[in-house]
Amino acid sequence: MSDRILGGIGLALAIFYAISAAMIQESFMTDAIGPKTFPYIISAVIAIASLVFICRPDPNPAWPALNRLAEIGFAVVVTMLYAWVLPELGFLISTALAAGYLTWRLGTTPLASILVGVGTSVGIYVVFHLVLGLSLAEGPLGF
């Protein structure tokens, strides 16, 4: 039963996401793909995954222990904080902190988490900003 509830919530989220994507204003100077394509793809993937949960639920779902649910809750809070501080701290600092915390909670050592956080942040910055030329949130250091 819990899988179907999760699937219903996911399907509602996918529909909301698709409706929100449809409301994106397009400029007269857009590329062939346009700004709506990626949100539509995400919406479709969420909808397909949700339908799998609805149509083929696990007969004996195993819920995680309370401490694991708390870990999931903290991960959600970190993700929300990431979106909140991104404009203030910039992409590099925000991403390094969020990725470092999340990898640490997934079981890496603190030093490895710092290295993964910084490496993820710099790697994504290089690919998306320097190679592809996309603008990312600038932080207090100007990058």
Side-chain angles (χ1 to χ4, degrees):
M1 182 66 175
S2 60
D3 285 353
R4 289 197 169 121
I5 293 170
L6 176 66
I9 292 169
L11 195 56
L13 177 66
I15 292 168
F16 171 75
Y17 202 74
I19 291 170
S20 298
M23 290 190 269
I24 294 174
Q25 297 288 329
E26 291 192 41
S27 170
F28 68 93
M29 293 178 43
T30 59
D31 57 8
I33 295 175
K36 297 180 181 183
T37 304
F38 188 66
Y40 281 148
I41 292 170
I42 292 174
S43 176
V45 170
I46 293 171
I48 291 168
S50 298
L51 288 171
V52 169
F53 276 108
I54 291 170
C55 296
R56 298 188 63 191
D58 187 358
N60 298 316
W63 282 85
L66 188 58
N67 63 342
R68 282 293 172 204
L69 286 175
E71 288 284 343
I72 294 168
F74 285 133
V76 169
V77 169
V78 166
T79 306
M80 291 170 35
L81 285 173
Y82 172 75
W84 185 50
V85 302
L86 185 64
E88 302 300 321
L89 295 180
F91 178 81
L92 283 174
I93 297 170
S94 302
T95 304
L97 291 172
Y101 173 79
L102 292 173
T103 56
W104 173 61
R105 295 315 308 148
L106 286 171
T108 62
T109 63
L111 179 61
S113 296
I114 292 169
L115 294 175
V116 168
V118 171
T120 300
S121 180
V122 171
I124 293 172
Y125 182 83
V126 167
V127 171
F128 284 95
H129 185 69
L130 300 180
V131 175
L132 297 176
L134 300 174
S135 62
L136 299 172
E138 290 185 7
L141 303 177
F143 55 85

